[in-house]
Amino acid sequence: RDVHVVGVPMDLGASRRGVDMGPSAMRLAGVAERLRALGHAVEDHGNVRVPDRTSLTGSGREFLPAIAQVCEELAAFTASVVRRGGTPLILGGDHSLGAGSVAGVATALAERGEALGLIWLDAHGDLHTPESSASGNVHGMPVAHLLGLGDPRLAGLAKPGPAVKAEHLVFVGLRDLDPPEQAFIRQAGIRAFTMRDIDERGLRAVMSDALEIATRGTGGVHVSCDADWIDPAEAPGVGTPVRGGATLREAHLAMEILADSDAMLGMDLVEINPILDRRNHTAELAVDLLASAFGRRII
Ligand code: DIR
Ligand code: MN
Ligand code: MN
Ligand code: MN
């Protein structure tokens, strides 16, 4: 693969500061070198420009216009990479960036007449609109915007929108949904695998179903991985830890199954918060998981 890495040092979408340092943490953990060692051509394009939080006034949803500008630049990047046949790899940064990364991949696919599948690995649904969100945090909103809901500055980034149809979207790892998100999942018939599904059926079966949903009728799959889908015992350095997540082995197996599928068009690895980490453990884990997602084999 031709892997094109970009960092998005953004923490405007979250309450807690620190995920803006995620891209540095993963670079220090050797992300480019690890992927090169697997035989990929890797180019690191540096970071998308993100305004520093202290240079802005307000909080929460008031950061949406600034986030939308970052997402617009990011969408242009991922679209151009996919047009050239490359694989965009986005290092976050808070998950509000997903409204841009995924929109760009969807735009490039739409130009070939293809729909985009989306696998969202997360403890959370990220399905709020600015109206439904209690926290106002934009990292809780990217999926709604990718479906074409919410604020047009984020929802309108994919051309033609929406970026993703509900039938091509699937969640894996959910364990913390707000009531409006639960209602939306039921009403819109969104396919969602919770931690209970993983407990009961095993990761292999859940991931096979997720891939089946995201590949049926699509030209490929974008994988948006919020590090908080993994259990905080393994991944303590995340913006919003929730107990009861995927184990280390489940997370690797999910990535290995994605690699075997050969369906992945691009990937986000987001919400790494070095301030809350033990040393750089969580970023190192993220880089290990990326190696699995990009085809690392033991034998
Ligand atoms: C919560 C938390 N649902 C919110 N969301 C998080 O603020 O909207 N998403 N942490 O990653
Ligand atoms: Mn999350
Ligand atoms: Mn379809
Ligand atoms: Mn998320």
Side-chain angles (χ1 to χ4, degrees), residues 13-25:
S15 303
R16 202 178 248 165
R17 307 293 312 273
V19 289
D20 53 320
M21 291 181 270
S24 301

Side-chain angles (χ1 to χ4, degrees), residues 8-192:
V8 185
M10 176 156 74
D11 70 352
L12 300 171
S15 303
R16 202 178 248 165
R17 307 293 312 273
V19 289
D20 53 320
M21 291 181 270
S24 301
M26 284 183 270
R27 287 189 178 107
L28 276 170
V31 59
E33 296 80 357
R34 283 295 293 283
L35 300 184
R36 270 183 208 119
L38 297 170
H40 301 295
V42 182
E43 187 179 345
D44 188 338
H45 295 255
N47 290 338
V48 172
R49 273 170 300 129
V50 180
D52 190 82
R53 185 145 158 174
T54 51
S55 72
L56 302 173
T57 53
S59 63
R61 52 174 63 70
E62 292 164 345
F63 291 141
L64 191 146
I67 291 168
Q69 256 174 31
V70 172
C71 283
E72 189 174 344
E73 197 175 318
L74 180 59
F77 174 84
T78 60
S80 79
V81 170
V82 173
R83 279 186 201 112
R84 286 182 270 158
T87 305
L89 172 59
I90 296 84
L91 310 177
D94 78 68
H95 217 168
S96 65
L97 68 83
S101 59
V102 181
V105 177
T107 299
L109 242 63
E111 289 162 5
R112 319 176 185 157
E114 293 177 327
L116 176 64
L118 178 59
I119 298 180
W120 200 268
L121 299 164
D122 208 319
H124 307 95
D126 297 353
L127 275 166
H128 282 291
T129 62
E131 293 70 43
S132 75
S133 171
S135 69
N137 291 332
V138 181
H139 76 159
M141 309 181 189
V143 182
H145 287 97
L146 292 168
L147 293 169
L149 308 169
D151 190 298
R153 287 168 289 187
L154 286 174
L157 291 172
K159 312 283 182 214
V164 181
K165 286 186 185 175
E167 66 192 284
H168 303 143
L169 162 68
V170 58
F171 288 98
V172 176
L174 297 182
R175 58 194 183 280
D176 183 12
L177 293 173
D178 299 323
E181 296 179 303
Q182 294 173 319
F184 180 72
I185 286 176
R186 291 202 203 102
Q187 161 240 313
I190 308 273
R191 309 294 305 270

Side-chain angles (χ1 to χ4, degrees), residues 266-288:
M267 187 164 183
D268 311 321
L269 202 318
V270 305
E271 297 278 358
I272 302 272
N273 190 333
I275 286 181
L276 302 174
D277 209 357
R278 301 190 298 262
R279 303 281 186 120
N280 206 23
H281 185 86
T282 305
E284 285 166 4
L285 167 61
V287 170
D288 282 342

